[in-house]
Amino acid sequence: LLFFSFPKQDLSLPNGTPVDTSSPASSSSLLNRLQLDDDLDGETRDLFVTVDDPKKHVCTMETYITYRVTTKTTRAEFDLPEYSVRRRYQDFDWLRNKLEESQPTHLIPPLPEKFVVKGVVDRFSEEFVETRRKALDKFLKRITDHPVLSFNEHFNVFLTAKDLNAYKKQGMALLSKMGESVKYVTGGYKLRSRPLEFAAIGEYLDTFSLKLGTIDRIAQRIIKEQLEYLVELREYGPVYSTWGGLEVELSEPLEGVSACIGNCCTALEELSEDMTEDFLPVLREYILYSESMKNVLKKRDQVQAEYEAKLEAVALKKEDRPKVPTDVEKCQDRVECFNADLKADMERWQNNKRQDFRQLLMGMADKNIQYYEK
């Protein structure tokens, strides 16, 4: 709840001019005063990627949007210090699929949904394209910040290849070998029990996605009601102007009320836009993020189940073996690799989540303060 102290003064609105309320948070942004530590390592980074300049392409068979992906780097893996390529959504989707295939033990950041967000009719509208651009930019930045994914060869190709389609057609025979040592097996193995620390992660993700889903539904309902209220306000205000034209002695205060309602319309419209463009996308991203983490957890379970089954098979064999078979050792290595990578990615994800939601909620509080001041 936000509390404001209004001074004892004449609050009449003869001409619709805003009243000076001198609220405690007046005009100084909470977000500006909040010292975020999300870019402390900016000086040590050697790879910077941005997504901007969306362009619409109309072809005979389809219409689509491409985005400019700009890369600046000092890494030896890149031939040039700077690249600029154009990519469409399906190229980002290809990249994510390749990262999942070649890095199965790691959490791959989610992409925005393929289909139109609920309530948005035109996927080529400026609002939708800009929301998607922000999400794609965040997707690449999350990969760039990852100590393993950022060195993936598929990612390098995505950032540098002028013709990505030609590269896709060549086949990925060489690059696909990268992930062979950690490929998970989707066999008919059943896990006895998940280790406690991973069981706790699974329970947390279930609860987290459930709570976020509830917040997302309620937020969408609030925005819908705000927009319906906005329609009513726009009809409500002009009535006072019409009334003022009929009664001269009341025209000044009536015009004041009409102008004030107009100010309320503008302020509410801005608040609704902020919630639609800034608040909801973060909720959706983290709902998808938690699903991605659950998938990695399932892959870890499959590898552990395979390892347990192989150990049982060895134990059941009567002949004495001098050592554990090589395939069992390899399977154990995969389990340990999954465990280490999953824990490291979970910690990184939690840190990002704290920063993102801290910024999101402080920003939303700031926008609400500004709305009520207006």
Side-chain angles (χ1 to χ4, degrees), residues 126-178:
E126 287 186 17
E127 295 81 4
F128 180 78
V129 171
E130 176 58 17
T131 300
R132 172 160 284 184
R133 183 203 66 77
K134 288 179 181 176
L136 295 176
D137 183 75
K138 184 176 284 187
F139 169 72
L140 291 188
K141 280 181 168 55
R142 293 206 189 282
I143 297 173
T144 302
D145 291 340
H146 196 283
V148 176
L149 299 181
S150 64
F151 286 93
N152 186 282
E153 289 187 49
H154 299 290
F155 187 45
N156 185 307
V157 167
F158 176 87
L159 297 178
T160 61
K162 283 295 181 184
D163 186 2
L164 193 61
N165 288 327
Y167 183 81
K168 292 177 187 177
K169 291 173 184 176
Q170 290 173 7
M172 307 297 288
L174 293 175
L175 295 182
S176 64
K177 291 180 181 177
M178 294 167 47

Side-chain angles (χ1 to χ4, degrees), residues 2 21 75 116 142 148 229 245 282 289 298 304 306 316 324 332 342 345 366:
L2 302 173
T21 58
R75 289 187 182 180
V116 179
R142 293 206 189 282
V148 176
Y229 176 49
V282 175
Y289 232 139
K298 287 177 184 175
Q304 183 187 332
E306 180 194 4
L316 289 172
V324 178
Q332 183 182 12
L342 183 60
D345 280 2
D366 198 32

Side-chain angles (χ1 to χ4, degrees), residues 97-216:
N97 289 333
K98 287 301 176 185
L99 289 175
E100 276 199 327
E101 287 176 15
S102 58
Q103 310 281 177
T105 64
H106 285 287
L107 171 63
I108 312 300
L111 277 172
E113 293 97 335
K114 168 73 174 174
F115 301 104
V116 179
V117 177
K118 183 180 178 182
V120 179
V121 179
D122 182 12
R123 66 189 179 96
F124 298 112
S125 68
E126 287 186 17
E127 295 81 4
F128 180 78
V129 171
E130 176 58 17
T131 300
R132 172 160 284 184
R133 183 203 66 77
K134 288 179 181 176
L136 295 176
D137 183 75
K138 184 176 284 187
F139 169 72
L140 291 188
K141 280 181 168 55
R142 293 206 189 282
I143 297 173
T144 302
D145 291 340
H146 196 283
V148 176
L149 299 181
S150 64
F151 286 93
N152 186 282
E153 289 187 49
H154 299 290
F155 187 45
N156 185 307
V157 167
F158 176 87
L159 297 178
T160 61
K162 283 295 181 184
D163 186 2
L164 193 61
N165 288 327
Y167 183 81
K168 292 177 187 177
K169 291 173 184 176
Q170 290 173 7
M172 307 297 288
L174 293 175
L175 295 182
S176 64
K177 291 180 181 177
M178 294 167 47
E180 288 302 319
S181 61
V182 288
K183 282 281 187 182
Y184 63 96
V185 179
T186 55
Y189 303 110
K190 188 173 182 180
L191 183 67
R192 289 177 182 172
S193 63
R194 201 179 254 174
L196 289 177
E197 59 181 327
F198 295 109
I201 290 175
E203 290 171 7
Y204 170 79
L205 291 171
D206 288 339
T207 305
F208 176 69
S209 55
L210 184 67
K211 298 296 182 187
L212 272 197
T214 302
I215 293 172
D216 181 57

Side-chain angles (χ1 to χ4, degrees), residues 226-244:
Q226 283 179 340
L227 294 176
E228 290 172 351
Y229 176 49
L230 190 58
V231 171
E232 300 289 347
L233 274 184
R234 283 175 177 152
E235 294 179 7
Y236 184 50
V239 174
Y240 286 91
S241 294
T242 307
W243 182 8

